[in-house]
Amino acid sequence: MSKKYQVCYADEIPTGGRLIVDIAGRSVGIFKVNDEYFAIRNSCPHKGAPLCRGLLDGMVTGDAPGHARFERLGEIIRCPWHGWEFDIKTGQSVLNPHKVWVRTYPVSVDAEESVQTNANCAGPDPSIETYPVTLETTNTGERRLLCIHL
Amino acid sequence: MNNVVDQKNRKKMTIVDTDVHHGYRSKSDLFPYLSKFNAERFAEYGIETGFSFGFNGGVRGRRAELVDENNPPPKENFFTSAFDVEDTRVRLLDGSGIDLAILTGGIGQAASAMFDVDYASALCRAFNDFSLEHWIAKDERFRLVLHINSQDPNGAAAEIDRLGSHPAVCSVMLGCGAPRPFGHRLYHPIYEACVRNGLAVAMHFGAEGTGVNPPISAAGFPSHYIEMRQIRSSWYSVNVASFVFEGVFEKFPSLKIGMLEAGFSWLAPLMWKMDFDWKGLRRQTPWVKKLPSQYIKEHIRFATQPMEEPEDPSQLKQLIDWIGGSQILMFASDYPHWDWDDPARTLVDYPEDFRRRIFSENAIDTFRLSLPSISKAA
C-alpha cells in the first residue's frame, strides 16, 4: 500500500516549474504541467543520471523530411546524460515506450487538515534551481498541500 | 542496462580518465599569454574557422545539470569544455573518484585547421601556458595533452621541446582532420619530438571540415549532427591505416598513440581488412614488416567512450575480445559532455583484472603516467 507524503504547498511550483525532493530515500521530481502535477523518479533507467534535472521541453515530431513539429510544451524531459526523452505524464520513454520507462508516482492536492504524515520528506534539494513563487490562495484563503504517494 | 559498481568496490580501483575537456571561461583568459598583436585578433575573431559541426547534444554540448543558468558559460565559449577548475575537482575528481584526469582541451585541433599558421601556433602556446597555470597547478591529479599546430610541424616540435619536460605533460594532441593523413612524413618532426620528450600522441577529433581541412566526408557535408557522428570512425580509420602503412611505428618504435572519443566497434573489421589486404599487397609497402593488426595492438590504445550498447551485452564482450581484450582500451568519461560515461557504470560486469587494465594500467603504460602520492599510498 502506498504512503502519502506532504511535499510542499501546491502554489510553490509554478506552471512549467519543477521541484526535486528526497522522499523515503528516493529522489523524485514533481512537475506542474498546465494545471496538473506529475511525479517521476529522478533516476534515468539507462545510466542512473539525475533525469529530472534535464531539459524540460516539448515533443518534436515530423511527418516528412525537413518538417518538424513542436508540441506538448513542458511535457517531455530529456535526460542530461545521453539525451533520452521521457513523457513526464506517463513515464514512458519516447524511444521505446513499452520497454523503457521511468517510475511515476501519483500526486494529489489536498486541503491542509486532511494531511496526516510528513515523515521522511527531506524537502527540496538545495542544489536544484528554485523558482520565484507567487502565493495563491483559494476563495476561503486556504493554501492547498501537494502530496505524493509512494 | 543500469548496473552500477558499489561505492566500496569503486574506492579500491584506481581510475585514470583519459578524456576530460578543460578550457577557459572567457577569451580574455588567454590574453595574458598572447602578444598584443595576437590578443587583438583573438578578441576580435577568436577561433575564426570554428569547430567541426555547429550542432551538438545537451546544452551546447554539455550535460544539462552541470550548467548553472544563473551563471552560464558565455556564448563566445562554445567549444563545450569545462571552464571551472574547482567545479571539475568537486564533481569529477572527487565525485567520481578519478585518480588522474588527462586534460584534452581544447582548441588545438581547430587551431591546426586555421589559415594563418603563426596565429594558430600562438593560440596553442597560449592555451598550453594557460592550462599549466590555471588547471595543472591547481590539482596534482591533472595531466595535460599539449596543444600544437600540426600544420606547422617544426613549430609544433619546438612547442613540444619547450614544454614537453613538464612532469604533468603526458602527450601531444592531434585532431583527425588534416590536409594529409597523420602518418605522412611531413608530420614526422612532431613524432620525433614526442619520442625525444617521452610523450605519446593523443588523437581526438575536433575541427574536421573546417579551415584548411577537407570536407568531413568523401561525399561532402551531411545535414545533421547525428549523421556527422556516424562519419567519425572514418576519421580515425584513415589515420590508423596511415600510421601503419607509412611505417611510422617502424621509424618510431617507442611511439604510442591514444585515440580518444573514437569508439572502438569499428576496429575489428578494420584490423581484419588491413591484415587480409597486407597479405596480397605487402610488396607495395615493404617497410611494413608485421601484420597491421600487430602494430595497432603494440602502439595504439582506444578510449572507451562513446561505447555502443548492443541488445545482448555478450556481443560487446565478443567485440572487445576481437580487438585485443583487456589490453586495447582505456577508460574515458568525456566530462563534461552530454554523452559522457560515468565510471561507476562503465564495463561493470567484467572481471577485476580486466577492469584494472582498462581503468588505469593501459593509460598509465600508454601515457607513461605516475600516480599522485595520495593514490599510491591508498
Side-chain angles (χ1 to χ4, degrees), chain B residues 48-50 107-117 120 148-151 177-179 206-214:
Chain B
E48 100 267 42
T49 44
I107 60 171
Q109 303 94 317
S112 296
M114 286 177 173
F115 304 112
D116 181 338
V117 291
I148 51 126
N149 171 14
S150 60
Q151 296 321 306
E208 295 64 31
T210 72
V212 300
N213 287 343

Side-chain angles (χ1 to χ4, degrees), chain B residues 342-363:
Chain B
D342 178 355
R345 294 169 193 274
T346 299
L347 298 172
V348 171
D349 298 321
Y350 287 75
E352 274 309 296
D353 55 342
F354 176 96
R355 286 169 48 77
R356 210 165 43 243
R357 291 288 334 165
I358 284 171
F359 277 89
S360 63
E361 291 171 1
N362 291 340

Side-chain angles (χ1 to χ4, degrees), chain A residues 65-126:
Chain A
H67 292 259
R69 195 168 56 241
F70 193 99
E71 53 203 4
R72 299 180 58 204
L73 179 65
E75 296 181 26
I76 304 293
I77 189 137
R78 218 183 324 157
C79 184
W81 304 359
H82 314 105
W84 291 16
E85 298 163 291
F86 293 85
D87 185 333
I88 60 175
K89 288 185 166 179
T90 65
Q92 289 178 305
S93 68
V94 173
L95 65 103
N96 193 346
H98 300 293
K99 281 199 169 164
V100 179
W101 43 267
V102 62
R103 177 76 189 267
T104 60
Y105 303 103
V107 181
S108 62
V109 183
D110 298 352
E112 204 155 358
E113 61 271 20
S114 71
V115 176
Q116 302 299 318
T117 176
N118 192 24
N120 297 323
C121 182
D125 177 342

Side-chain angles (χ1 to χ4, degrees), chain B residues 5 167 215 322:
Chain B
V5 174
W322 283 335

Side-chain angles (χ1 to χ4, degrees), chain B residues 55 72 106 126-127 203 275 316:
Chain B
F55 292 133
F127 191 80
M203 176 168 274
D275 287 356
L316 187 66

Side-chain angles (χ1 to χ4, degrees), chain B residues 315-328:
Chain B
Q315 291 170 345
L316 187 66
K317 285 188 177 163
Q318 176 74 80
L319 194 57
I320 294 172
D321 197 37
W322 283 335
I323 60 176
S326 64
Q327 305 300 307
I328 199 85

Side-chain angles (χ1 to χ4, degrees), chain B residues 58-124:
Chain B
V59 177
R60 292 207 298 283
R62 295 178 175 86
R63 281 160 50 189
E65 93 280 23
L66 299 180
V67 176
D68 179 356
E69 285 304 329
N70 299 318
N71 190 18
K75 292 274 186 197
E76 68 182 35
N77 176 357
F78 65 91
F79 70 88
T80 73
S81 293
F83 51 81
D84 187 319
V85 180
E86 191 51 35
D87 192 56
T88 304
R89 292 173 66 190
V90 170
R91 288 181 192 270
L92 180 70
L93 301 184
D94 299 341
S96 291
I98 303 292
D99 297 273
L100 281 179
I102 297 181
L103 301 178
T104 52
I107 60 171
Q109 303 94 317
S112 296
M114 286 177 173
F115 304 112
D116 181 338
V117 291
D118 292 324
Y119 178 57
S121 297
L123 289 186
C124 288

